[in-house]
């Protein structure tokens, strides 16, 4: 057995390939090629819909300015999808107002068409003559738009962060890159958060409204003057908990320190040294809640963070806490917040975002033209049209067919293992180091793991982040999050017909929700294989299991004794939770065992509590896959 190791931390340039992307593939492929050298950089996003459609309509995109049909299509049809004049300047459509600095940059590169307030029909009619489209949040770039583009549209630029208005799957299928401008609004958002913090603490809005309504003072009756009612509270010496220590969160922390506040933060991916550099202490989620006088939210809206502030979490906070939210409305259970305000558990809340949006159209913040956004998105679009790699890409097309064909069954395994591994990490334990071990019968130099590493990164980061991970930006995003991913390739005596025998993920220096998932070295360790085309979990810590990674999963460590499968199965059955498989792995007869239970539905808290109360069950964890 031989092995090689590598660390991937900052490298954004994958190894070059001697074989050009083949068009005989199941999905579209986009390569960023320069005239000097031809490294192929691409992404594959797997969905059942894409797989079913790709057989009838595969695309190969050799660079961002040229689209050709698969070799299975006729030459005449291929030619019809080319830009009208390939040697002319690209046409860039701007469908919403953009700052003049960005427009000037675009004019210097291509033919600029600023057409605002287009209906969906008008956009579809115009898009086939455009190479690039720049939007804000108002324009919906749907599958219908990509279909109407007839292969000419190469890049969609979103002037801002959120890309909810762009159909990413359709963009990928049609070989269109999507880029955004994630950094230019950072300072504006941070300043807005601080403005809400100060205004709330000093009751600025309430005092202003009262003065205008004539409530606190009238000329004839000075007894109605109630100035003390709106004095508010001081910020100096108070503790601010920043929930989400990314770009905006860290800038809020800097400004709050300047106001004399003690700042703590919670973020599972924030590097401790970066926090210490600005005088911020990283703490666990519960510690942040229980010690803060003010809580400022800067986390993305994901399944993990949806309604993360609820009745249960409000009960853990200091009585009279004040909450600021300039992140996403859905991270707060708004009904629970009302109850907390009514009871006095929460003194005040300053909210800029809500579960149901958009906000009013006359909002100054929404209408403000930010030059930074205009320049950033213009540079990203121009770079993509030149064939350059963009660090702000949120999607990217496919890997070469010869690599994809072999790795396709393992792509889903890699993402599932990453998603499972991050859910095993106990709250408050920041992930800093991940090791991936690939076992294969092939020579390590013949094994291209870039896509697998990207999918593992995707599985680890996306569940608790709003980052969109692909082959283009996986390493870049991991570096930004302070996540170090090392790889080891181990040669084993297995069939060389398959590129991978197994994939193992190890996470060091973290606490585990399931002690059984820890290896002898004390790290979280899980391993998986592809069996009959389906991803399987084959090892958890020191326990051998055989679990199909489909649906949801319950892992229980138990005393190995008769009747356990039936007892736990009955609990789930009585609660109408359908079990689709069970597997038991043990260390020795009548010793300790791990029971893996696949379930179609998520059991409620009472069901999980009942499982945990079974005497022979020593620990368990529920995992969403």
């Amino acid at each position: 057995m031989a092995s090689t190791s590598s660390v991937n931390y900052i490298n954004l340039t994958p190894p070059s390939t001697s074989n050009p992307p083949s068009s005989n593939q199941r999905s579209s492929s986009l390569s960023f090629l320069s005239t000097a050298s031809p490294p192929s950089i691409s992404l594959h996003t797997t969905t059942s819909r894409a797989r079913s459609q790709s057989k009838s309509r595969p695309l190969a995109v050799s660079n961002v300015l040229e689209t050709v049909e698969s070799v299975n299509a006729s030459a005449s049809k291929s030619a019809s999808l080319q830009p009208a004049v390939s040697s002319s300047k690209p046409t860039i459509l701007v469908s919403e107002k953009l700052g003049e600095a960005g427009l000037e940059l675009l004019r210097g590169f291509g033919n600029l068409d600023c057409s605002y307030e287009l209906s969906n029909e008008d956009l579809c009619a115009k898009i086939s003559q455009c190479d690039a489209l720049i939007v804000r949040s108002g324009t919906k770039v749907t599958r219908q738009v990509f279909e109407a583009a007839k292969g000419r549209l190469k890049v969609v630029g979103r002037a801002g962060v959120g890309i909810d208005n762009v159909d990413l799957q359709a963009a990928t299928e049609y070989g269109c890159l999507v880029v955004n401008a994630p950094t230019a609004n950072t300072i504006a958002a941070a300043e807005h958060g601080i403005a809400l913090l100060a205004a709330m603490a000093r009751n600025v809005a309430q005092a202003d409204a009262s003065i205008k309504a004539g409530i606190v003072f009238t000329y004839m009756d000075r007894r109605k003057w109630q100035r003390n009612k709106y004095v508010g509270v001081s910020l100096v010496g108070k503790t601010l908990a920043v929930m989400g220590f990314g770009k905006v969160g860290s800038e809020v922390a800097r400004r709050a320190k300047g106001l004399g506040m003690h700042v703590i933060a919670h973020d599972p991916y924030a590097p401790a040294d970066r926090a210490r550099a600005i005088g911020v202490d990283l703490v666990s989620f519960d510690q942040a809640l229980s010690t803060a006088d003010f809580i400022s939210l800067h986390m993305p809206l994901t399944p993990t963070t949806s309604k993360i502030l609820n009745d249960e979490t409000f009960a853990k906070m200091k009585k009279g806490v004040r909450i600021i939210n300039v992140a996403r409305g859905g991270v707060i259970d708004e009904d629970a917040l009302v109850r907390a305000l009514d009871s006095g558990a929460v003194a005040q809340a300053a909210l800029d975002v809500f579960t149901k949006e958009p906000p009013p159209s006359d909002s100054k913040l929404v209408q403000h033209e930010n030059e930074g956004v205009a320049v950033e998105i213009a540079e990203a679009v121009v770079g993509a049209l030149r064939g350059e790699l963009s660090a702000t890409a949120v999607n990217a097309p496919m890997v070469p067919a010869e690599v994809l064909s072999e790795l396709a069954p393992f792509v889903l395994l890699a993402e599932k293992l990453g998603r499972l591994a991050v859910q095993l990490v106990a709250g408050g334990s920041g992930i800093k180091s991940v090791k991936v071990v690939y076992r294969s019968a092939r020579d390590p130099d013949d094994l291209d793991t870039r896509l697998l590493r990207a999918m593992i990164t995707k599985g680890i980061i996306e569940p608790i982040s709003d980052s969109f991970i692909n082959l283009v930006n996986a390493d870049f995003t991991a570096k930004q999050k302070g996540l170090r991913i090392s790889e080891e390739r181990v040669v084993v005596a297995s069939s060389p017909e398959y590129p991978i025998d197994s994939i193992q993920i190890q996470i060091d220096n973290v606490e585990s929700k399931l002690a059984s998932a820890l290896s002898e070295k004390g790290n979280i360790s899980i391993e998986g294989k592809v069996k009959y085309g389906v991803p399987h979990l084959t090892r958890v810590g020191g326990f051998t299991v055989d679990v199909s990674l489909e649906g949801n999963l319950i892992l229980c460590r138990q005393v190995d004794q008769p009747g356990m499968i039936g007892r736990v199965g009955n609990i789930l059955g009585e609660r109408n939770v359908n079990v689709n498989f069970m597997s038991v792995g043990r260390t020795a007869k009548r010793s300790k065992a791990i029971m893996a239970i696949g379930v179609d539905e998520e059991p409620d808290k009472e069901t999980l509590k009942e499982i945990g109360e079974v005497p022979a069950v020593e620990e368990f964890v529920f995992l969403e896959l």
Side-chain angles (χ1 to χ4, degrees), residues 295-436:
I295 295 175
S296 187
L297 303 178
H298 303 283
M299 58 187 64
L301 179 59
T302 69
T304 302
T305 63
S306 178
K307 295 186 177 180
I308 196 169
L309 293 195
N310 49 48
D311 287 315
E312 183 179 348
T313 49
F314 285 135
K316 296 178 179 179
M317 298 177 188
K318 292 175 65 173
K319 184 175 178 62
V321 68
R322 290 170 167 83
I323 296 172
I324 306 97
N325 186 12
V326 294
R328 294 290 186 269
V331 301
I332 297 179
D333 183 333
E334 293 177 355
D335 292 335
L337 178 58
V338 171
R339 290 189 288 271
L341 288 166
D342 288 342
S343 69
V346 174
Q348 292 176 293
L351 308 177
D352 182 56
V353 287
F354 302 89
T355 301
K356 292 183 179 180
E357 292 184 341
S361 59
D362 59 352
S363 167
K364 292 182 179 180
L365 183 63
V366 172
Q367 296 298 326
H368 184 269
E369 289 190 2
N370 188 305
E371 292 290 311
V373 170
V375 171
E376 184 174 3
I377 198 59
E379 289 176 342
V381 169
V382 169
L385 290 175
R386 284 175 173 160
E388 298 169 358
L389 209 150
S390 173
T392 64
V394 292
N395 87 322
M398 314 304 178
V399 296
E402 63 274 12
V403 177
L404 173 60
S405 179
E406 283 199 322
L407 292 183
F410 301 92
V411 169
L412 187 57
L413 171 64
E415 182 177 352
K416 293 277 190 180
L417 289 176
R419 187 174 295 270
L420 189 155
V422 74
Q423 291 182 75
L424 288 172
V425 177
S429 299
I431 302 175
K432 299 295 181 284
S433 175
V434 175
K435 182 178 181 180
V436 184

Side-chain angles (χ1 to χ4, degrees), residues 393-516:
V394 292
N395 87 322
M398 314 304 178
V399 296
E402 63 274 12
V403 177
L404 173 60
S405 179
E406 283 199 322
L407 292 183
F410 301 92
V411 169
L412 187 57
L413 171 64
E415 182 177 352
K416 293 277 190 180
L417 289 176
R419 187 174 295 270
L420 189 155
V422 74
Q423 291 182 75
L424 288 172
V425 177
S429 299
I431 302 175
K432 299 295 181 284
S433 175
V434 175
K435 182 178 181 180
V436 184
V437 180
Y438 307 99
R439 290 180 172 83
S440 172
R442 297 186 182 178
D443 186 285
D445 292 336
D446 295 333
L447 189 61
D448 185 349
T449 60
R450 288 175 295 142
L451 179 56
L452 299 179
R453 185 177 71 245
M455 292 302 101
I456 290 169
T457 304
K458 178 184 179 76
I460 292 174
I461 293 179
E462 280 195 352
I464 53 175
S465 170
D466 57 0
S467 300
F468 291 86
I469 309 301
N470 55 42
L471 186 59
V472 174
N473 64 10
D475 290 340
F476 179 82
T477 304
K479 180 178 181 293
Q480 280 196 319
K481 301 287 186 183
L483 178 63
R484 181 183 179 90
I485 298 182
S486 62
E487 294 179 295
E488 182 179 0
R489 298 166 176 83
V490 179
V491 179
V492 296
S494 61
S495 173
E497 179 183 356
Y498 303 104
I500 303 287
D501 177 69
S502 68
I503 300 175
Q504 182 184 53
I505 296 180
Q506 303 171 10
I507 303 180
D508 296 324
N509 302 316
V510 294
E511 297 178 6
S512 176
K513 294 179 182 177
L514 188 75
S516 304

Side-chain angles (χ1 to χ4, degrees), residues 177-215:
L177 187 70
V178 179
V179 296
N180 66 351
T183 62
N185 276 333
T186 296
I187 300 302
E191 289 177 348
H192 187 57
I194 291 294
L196 290 181
L197 170 70
M200 176 178 61
R202 290 302 184 180
N203 296 312
V204 173
Q206 295 92 325
D208 176 71
S210 297
I211 285 286
K212 290 177 178 177
I215 295 174

